[in-house]
Amino acid sequence: MAGTTPGIPGTPRVLRAMNDRAALDLLLEHGPLTRTKIGKLTGLSKPTASQLLARLEAAGLVVATGTSEGRPGPNAQLYAVHARAAHVAGLDVTADRIVAAVADVTGETVGTYELPTRGRRADGVVRQVTQALDGAVKEAGITRAEVHRVVIGTPGAFDPGTGRLRYASHLPGWHSPTLLDELAACLPMPVEYENDVNLVAVAEQRLGAAQDHEDFVLLWNEEGLGAALVINGRLHRGFTGGAGEVGFLPVPGTPLVRQVVKANAGGFQELAGAQAVPRLATSLGIETPHQPYAEVAAGLLTRAVAAWERDPALTELLRQYAQRLATGLASLTAVLDPGLIVLSGQLVSCGGELLRSLVQSELAELAASRPRLVLGRIDHHPVLRGALERALADTRDEVFDTSR
């Protein structure tokens, strides 16, 4: 039976709460179920299952949603989790925009809003966050007070000792030492902050390519290179929150980058980040603009895949880029020895399965162990999906706890 319930183990109240949580988790996983089916899946007798459903219905956690059809005999009543029992919100913050979304307790997204932020005043971050959140809340048809929890994903990480954002100098307005206090004063619900790549890993672990994996590395490759490290099912964040900032990793094949925080770059970023792709293309005689880096790099990799083994220069571009990615991954593999590496982000998506297979082949030559490489499966707003999943997990623990 799922869930963790406070109290003395074995008491009737705690056992009832454990059964309640098990039934709610089953309803989330399978959708509407009959009383008989819930009893079979939980091992409860029909009378006990009936009492459980009555209790959850009275608590506003389940609702009757119709009847089963297509079977002999009378149709049975179906029950489902009450979607409006709780709502959560997630925000995905970049230098150019904030995307906000609201999900009900079943995980369905019921409201979204995108707020462009490029060119706005850096001291208006609190206003931007509340405006984006309110836009999603309005589309969801609820009020801000009905949001149980908010998770905000940003580049870099907030130092747990100082409360200041680190490793993201390109995010204007987010480095004030009083920012978190100001946001707490404006938002009535609990607010959590998490690195954006870590949230992609949460989404992949809950819904995507890393399901059922307790240990894995996720490499994110868009405008910047970053990684999420999941060990024993938990994100490893490091002393200052900077674990996974692999763009700063010194690697062979590029000059040492000094003062990396001031430069907001490092060896692996210079070797295999978005800005490296147009430079590599130029060195191979491919005419191309160099900016905007991410857009140009995505276009080049898309062309390289389409022209594989037909255009020598583009073919070599993809080969060399795969080798560069594998170089950094070999360093991570030597330290962490992961069984699984998930490749995600726009540049990986453009390279697709061909790029993945090339990186896998190169890594086999460079690393002592042989982790399996897979492509990420969460393509649509993965940072936002991870933020919602993180918020849902904590909110369900609270709302579904019937022992109190």
Side-chain angles (χ1 to χ4, degrees), residues 154-159 164-168 194-195 237 240-242 245:
T154 68
F158 284 92
D159 190 315
R164 300 190 69 163
L165 185 66
R166 302 188 63 179
Y167 315 109
E194 184 61 87
N195 170 262
R237 297 178 177 84
T240 64
E245 293 290 342

Side-chain angles (χ1 to χ4, degrees), residues 317-388:
L317 170 70
L318 201 61
R319 287 189 190 279
Q320 289 195 27
Y321 189 62
Q323 184 181 75
R324 290 177 176 213
L325 287 174
T327 299
L329 288 175
S331 296
L332 291 176
T333 300
V335 176
L336 297 171
D337 190 22
L340 180 74
I341 297 177
V342 180
L343 302 178
S344 187
Q346 183 186 23
L347 299 193
V348 170
S349 296
C350 292
E353 174 59 26
L354 178 56
L355 178 61
R356 185 213 63 80
S357 65
L358 291 170
V359 176
Q360 180 83 76
S361 178
E362 289 287 344
L363 189 59
E365 299 289 329
L366 299 175
S369 63
R370 302 290 180 87
R372 183 166 63 95
L373 268 63
V374 298
L375 297 176
R377 297 178 188 166
I378 310 300
D379 296 324
H380 185 66
H381 288 306
V383 176
L384 198 59
R385 188 67 249 173
L388 292 173

Side-chain angles (χ1 to χ4, degrees), residues 159-223:
D159 190 315
T162 66
R164 300 190 69 163
L165 185 66
R166 302 188 63 179
Y167 315 109
S169 59
H170 62 292
L171 203 62
W174 283 81
H175 301 85
S176 165
T178 63
L179 176 62
L180 300 189
D181 290 335
E182 293 173 24
L183 285 168
C186 289
L187 299 175
M189 73 293 289
V191 182
E192 299 175 32
Y193 303 87
E194 184 61 87
N195 170 262
D196 53 359
V197 181
N198 283 349
L199 291 176
V200 177
V202 169
E204 291 290 351
Q205 189 176 32
R206 301 277 173 82
L207 305 171
Q211 289 184 78
D212 303 321
H213 287 271
E214 293 289 301
D215 298 270
F216 68 95
V217 169
L218 181 138
L219 183 72
W220 176 257
N221 194 1
E222 286 202 357
E223 291 188 12

Side-chain angles (χ1 to χ4, degrees), residues 18-28 33 38 42 52 56:
M18 292 173 69
N19 288 333
D20 291 348
R21 180 59 192 266
L24 289 164
D25 286 341
L26 287 168
L27 289 170
L28 286 172
L33 297 172
I38 290 172
T42 58
L52 176 150
L56 294 178

Side-chain angles (χ1 to χ4, degrees), residues 89-108:
L91 276 71
D92 174 13
V93 178
T94 70
D96 296 328
R97 77 330 178 239
I98 299 176
V99 181
V102 171
D104 63 36
V105 77
T106 71
E108 181 180 356

